[in-house]
Amino acid sequence: MFAIAKHELWQSFKNIKAILIIIALLSASYFFANKGKTFVEMFELSSGEENTIYSTGLLLMMMFFGLLFVMALSHDIINRETSNRTMRFLLSRTSHEKIFIGKFLGVWLFWIICFAISVLVIAITSQTIDFMVIATLICLVTFEISIAFLVSVLIKKPMMSMFIGIFVGIAGPILASIVEYTEAWYKLFKYVSPLHYLQNDNYEMLALPLGALIIAAISLFIFKRGEY
Amino acid sequence: MLEVTGLTKNYGQKEVLKGIDLTIEDGEIFGFLGRNGAGKSTFINILTGLAKQTSGTVTFFDGEPLTTNLKKRLGVLPDYSMFYGHLNAIDHLRYFASISGKNISKKHAQDILTKVGLGKDSKLKVEKYSFGMKKKLGFAQAIVHDPDFIFLDEPTSGVDAESAIVLHTLIRDLQKQGKTIFLTSHNLNEMEKLCDRIAILKDGNIAKIGQINALKTAETTETHVQIKHSILTNTVREQLLQVIAPFSKVLVQDVDWLTIQVASEQEIPMLVRAFTGLQIDIFRVEVAQKSLEEIFIDAEK
């Protein structure tokens, strides 16, 4: 399991898309950390809000583009191996569970490292660290990774999962915003949207890793039913 | 030891395997034959955990079912080998070995690749490998973690003749180390050279099983004898044919060869005495049994 996680983590950093995403995250982090004081004066923010502003860039990036980023990198995390038939080498050596968890762990660690570098940039630039934002980011990305895994086990062909992943990555945050602020009948869908649990800076965000666990369990069940 | 009991596999309404019972002893090289679509790869996939049986049991060694721990003692060369194109062969072996719980050095990986004939290409990215080279890499990954039971699905298909000989030698060496090998191939010569026992799969059942020589003897209802002799005059030839006519039938006559059919091996000394009685020199006597190819074709009928 850890061998698979390590391999997945290492391969993630060798991807050009990952490098572009890291640059985007670092740029947003640096911009908001650098301009934070200007925003504080411009918007007359309270001291609590002041601390948060420096990390806002990173948080906004992940809230609106995070699913797209995760999908871009991980839409084919499972189906790439099954369509290439490399999954046979893995399954002949270990279990479905260890492969799934190993890959999940590898991808998750990639994002944790990306956030750690971004937070370091923010801390150096603004001399502040907002642990609540860090916790929010971890919860959010865990949920987004589970969605990517679900797409990857449901859709057999990597090309198709790429299109579906991009669609979900773009449409997801838009639909989440709509259902969150509407009064129409479909406002019920806000409870399946991660945005709903990030509205307040409290422990409601823990619903996201719980949701991720449920989605990952469903994905694992589908993965185990296949023959490779 | 591998023990398979009542193994069935259905895909929807289609029965692919219809109740296979099989025992493979430790240290055997066991061959599995069958035409395309007979179910050989499905059978291997079930044994190695890549597919699930509809019913029946599979146990290894001392009655152990297939678990993640037990998989570490198995090596598998699938019928169609694809790899991670951006990695080289050494990286592949180290990655696969680590999944099997063994961390190996680059040198160890290089040694294994040299054994299978990829020593010079070990640092090349696998996307540049030919089909035969990928097959050899597949073989290497099947043995990298020193498994006790090795499944080889068509190990030499697409491989050049010289490399096939290297792999055959490697298979025999693995057997000498006490490994058990389950082998499928369409190359009947290869099966004859390597296997202690074979099974022929037909329509989801095992049609024939046993040692190759025993199968040949059991399947052979008459004996063909080829005798290379000195050149005969017409008179001596006619005398010879008269002497052997009561207990044999001449199938083919050549200048210095005769192919003769007799009822059994019991008549062979009589043939030899007929030749020597007429002072005809004999240079070679060959007894032809049914070939594995003929046994396979008969099983398919």
Side-chain angles (χ1 to χ4, degrees):
Chain A
M1 180 173 80
F2 294 111
I4 293 172
K6 187 175 144 192
H7 175 84
E8 209 57 53
L9 175 63
W10 185 235
Q11 294 307 312
S12 296
F13 279 109
K14 285 170 147 186
N15 189 328
I16 187 73
K17 285 185 279 187
I19 293 168
L20 293 173
I21 288 167
I22 291 169
I23 291 171
L25 290 177
L26 290 179
S27 303
S29 301
Y30 177 72
F31 178 78
F32 268 81
N34 201 24
K35 299 292 178 194
K37 268 209 163 21
T38 313
F39 292 137
V40 168
E41 286 156 13
M42 198 186 292
F43 298 111
E44 293 172 2
L45 297 174
S46 66
S47 65
E49 288 167 340
E50 186 181 326
N51 283 337
T52 308
I53 194 69
Y54 299 107
S55 310
T56 301
L58 182 58
L59 188 57
L60 286 175
M61 265 294 220
M62 286 308 293
M63 279 174 67
F64 292 106
F65 299 106
L67 189 55
L68 182 62
F69 290 163
V70 170
M71 284 293 183
L73 296 182
S74 305
H75 68 90
D76 58 353
I77 189 85
I78 299 287
N79 61 18
R80 176 198 343 133
E81 301 249 26
T82 56
S83 76
N84 283 347
R85 295 188 152 198
T86 48
M87 186 60 76
R88 294 176 157 204
F89 294 124
L90 305 186
L91 280 171
S92 66
R93 292 175 145 78
T94 189
S95 63
H96 291 81
E97 288 84 356
K98 289 192 176 180
I99 294 168
F100 190 95
I101 295 170
K103 283 181 170 286
F104 199 106
L105 187 61
V107 172
W108 190 80
L109 283 172
F110 165 79
W111 286 102
I112 297 305
I113 292 170
C114 289
F115 295 152
I117 298 170
S118 300
V119 166
L120 191 63
V121 165
I122 294 168
I124 291 170
T125 312
S126 68
Q127 312 298 314
T128 60
I129 296 180
D130 189 333
F131 290 104
M132 205 60 181
V133 166
I134 295 169
T136 305
L137 286 169
I138 292 172
C139 291
L140 180 60
V141 84
T142 306
F143 184 83
E144 288 166 344
I145 292 169
S146 70
I147 301 286
F149 270 71
L150 183 63
V151 167
S152 197
V153 296
L154 284 175
I155 298 163
K156 301 294 175 203
K157 293 189 194 304
M159 190 63 82
M160 191 58 79
S161 66
M162 182 182 74
F163 285 121
I164 303 281
I166 289 172
F167 175 77
V168 168
I170 294 171
I174 296 170
L175 291 173
S177 303
I178 292 170
V179 299
E180 186 61 30
Y181 299 112
T182 190
E183 287 303 316
W185 63 270
Y186 44 83
K187 70 180 178 183
L188 288 170
F189 285 103
K190 70 181 177 184
Y191 294 108
V192 298
S193 154
L195 193 62
H196 178 72
Y197 302 98
L198 302 176
Q199 294 296 302
N200 306 313
D201 270 347
N202 59 23
Y203 295 102
E204 280 182 16
M205 74 176 88
L206 293 176
L208 294 181
L210 183 62
L213 193 63
I214 295 168
I215 294 168
I218 294 169
S219 305
L220 177 58
F221 175 76
I222 297 168
F223 176 43
K224 283 177 75 168
R225 282 170 59 88
E227 290 191 357
Y228 308 98
Chain B
M1 184 169 88
L2 166 70
E3 189 132 10
V4 178
T5 311
L7 193 74
T8 67
K9 176 67 180 175
N10 300 337
Y11 286 107
Q13 298 297 320
K14 187 180 175 195
E15 285 182 288
V16 176
L17 301 174
K18 297 176 186 173
I20 304 233
D21 296 305
L22 182 63
T23 301
I24 298 174
E25 301 296 335
D26 289 338
E28 265 198 290
I29 299 180
F30 190 90
F32 210 54
L33 290 167
R35 61 174 171 76
N36 290 338
K40 302 186 300 297
S41 293
T42 301
F43 186 66
I44 285 191
N45 287 346
I46 291 171
L47 298 187
T48 56
L50 299 177
K52 292 184 190 59
Q53 65 265 42
T54 304
S55 67
T57 59
V58 177
T59 56
F60 288 86
F61 309 117
D62 297 319
E64 277 184 73
L66 186 65
T67 57
T68 305
N69 252 348
L70 191 135
K71 282 185 180 182
K72 293 177 184 174
R73 297 177 68 186
L74 306 184
V76 183
L77 168 62
D79 60 347
Y80 188 69
S81 298
M82 291 293 288
F83 296 94
Y84 304 103
H86 57 285
L87 296 181
N88 64 33
I90 290 178
D91 291 338
H92 271 93
L93 291 195
R94 296 185 80 201
Y95 176 44
F96 290 140
S98 67
I99 297 173
S100 296
K102 278 204 162 152
N103 288 318
I104 63 168
S105 63
K106 285 185 182 177
K107 187 184 176 310
H108 184 64
Q110 179 69 42
D111 288 342
I112 293 175
L113 290 166
T114 304
K115 274 187 197 173
V116 301
L118 286 176
K120 289 180 192 162
D121 304 305
S122 61
K123 294 189 178 133
L124 204 59
K125 285 192 178 159
V126 172
E127 63 196 0
K128 296 194 190 317
Y129 273 19
S130 67
F131 181 85
M133 291 165 80
K134 286 180 185 171
K135 205 72 186 181
K136 292 184 207 175
L137 178 57
F139 196 110
Q141 66 76 35
I143 63 172
V144 68
H145 52 295
D146 195 28
D148 296 314
F149 202 115
I150 305 167
F151 291 89
L152 303 173
D153 201 342
E154 306 205 28
T156 58
S157 75
V159 169
D160 61 76
E162 193 182 334
S163 301
I165 292 169
V166 168
L167 293 180
H168 289 169
T169 307
L170 194 47
I171 290 170
R172 286 196 204 91
D173 286 345
L174 288 167
Q175 186 187 30
K176 284 179 194 162
Q177 292 168 32
K179 317 288 185 194
T180 308
I181 295 161
F182 184 98
L183 172 68
T184 74
S185 178
H186 288 295
N187 185 334
L188 298 179
N189 285 335
E190 179 174 76
M191 293 297 226
E192 278 201 76
K193 269 191 221 173
L194 293 174
C195 298
D196 299 313
R197 284 194 306 148
I198 61 160
I200 298 175
L201 189 67
K202 187 198 170 193
D203 295 335
N205 283 311
I206 290 181
K208 291 185 198 296
I209 184 168
Q211 292 184 338
I212 294 176
N213 280 336
L215 283 174
K216 283 182 174 180
T217 305
E219 295 289 316
T220 301
T221 52
E222 65 231 357
T223 303
H224 293 181
V225 185
Q226 288 180 318
I227 301 178
K228 185 171 168 64
H229 53 79
S230 53
I231 294 176
L232 307 175
T233 61
N234 286 339
T235 310
V236 171
R237 184 180 291 275
E238 277 175 29
Q239 285 174 333
L240 175 64
L241 294 177
Q242 270 181 356
V243 167
I244 66 174
F247 58 90
S248 69
K249 179 179 166 188
V250 175
L251 299 174
V252 178
Q253 286 192 59
D254 206 338
V255 174
D256 55 357
W257 273 102
L258 272 173
T259 303
I260 302 165
Q261 180 184 305
V262 291
S264 72
E265 288 182 345
Q266 307 302 317
E267 275 79 30
I268 295 175
M270 293 163 65
L271 271 179
V272 173
R273 279 196 289 275
F275 275 77
T276 55
L278 291 169
Q279 297 183 327
I280 302 169
D281 291 330
I282 295 175
F283 301 114
R284 199 186 301 170
V285 179
E286 289 176 3
V287 179
Q289 291 173 308
K290 238 181 186 174
S291 68
L292 183 57
E293 184 179 328
E294 287 167 324
I295 294 170
F296 178 72
I297 291 169
D298 286 346
E300 286 296 314
K301 281 185 192 158

